[in-house]
Amino acid sequence: MCGIIGYIGENKKASEIIDLLSMLEYRGYDSAGLSGYSGNKFELIKEIGPIDNLRAQISSDMQVSNAIAHTRWATHGASSIENAHPHRSSDGKWILVHNGIIENYKKLKNGLKTVPTGQTDTEVLVQY
Ligand code: GLU
């Protein structure tokens, strides 16, 4: 089952967000990701495997504002960086994490103008 950490506020060390995500490791997961506003853009960093793989992708002094982080337990699509959460809309306006299953995702996918690049059910909610 996935884990989700949300942070609303200014200039938090990304490593501290990852520390919080680590507290949810016991729930089980196959990949992890983090998105937060940093350096005038929303960074999106994802890795498969242990959370320490994600930690290795960030610098120790990286700070984020308004961040969200996720551990994924894949239900739809392989464990891959592409399928790991968070997912970003193709226009960059939305970033999404999700826990669970979207039963009617195939029907929703058929109605999208933007074809999702990954295989998850989740992406149908962030593309349009
Ligand atoms: N169904 C989604 C996926 O496969 C979310 C899985 C989860 O709850 O971690 O990506």
Side-chain angles (χ1 to χ4, degrees), residues 6-49:
Y7 171 73
I8 298 173
E10 300 288 315
N11 302 325
K12 185 90 168 165
K13 284 182 97 175
S15 61
E16 290 181 35
I17 306 278
I18 292 177
D19 290 343
L20 294 171
L21 195 62
S22 295
M23 295 172 74
L24 301 176
E25 277 189 295
Y26 71 93
R27 294 162 66 89
Y29 66 102
D30 54 70
S31 54
L34 166 77
S35 184
Y37 196 68
S38 182
N40 294 327
K41 62 176 180 163
F42 266 95
E43 293 285 348
L44 180 60
I45 305 161
K46 309 197 275 189
E47 269 298 335
I48 56 172

Side-chain angles (χ1 to χ4, degrees), residues 1-2 16 27 32 34 42 44-45 50 52-53 55 62 67-68 71 90 93 95 107-108 111 114-115 120 123 127-128:
M1 191 179 293
C2 85
E16 290 181 35
R27 294 162 66 89
L34 166 77
F42 266 95
L44 180 60
I45 305 161
D52 280 346
N53 293 354
R55 194 184 298 277
M62 180 185 178
I68 194 158
T71 48
S90 58
K93 289 185 178 173
I95 291 175
K107 185 176 172 192
L108 295 172
T114 306
V115 179
T120 67
E123 275 184 274
Q127 304 297 359
Y128 42 96

Side-chain angles (χ1 to χ4, degrees), residues 2 70 72-76 85 98-100 120-122:
C2 85
H70 184 272
R72 178 180 184 233
W73 183 291
T75 63
H76 293 67
H85 301 210
H98 159 233
N99 171 26
T120 67
D121 52 340
T122 302

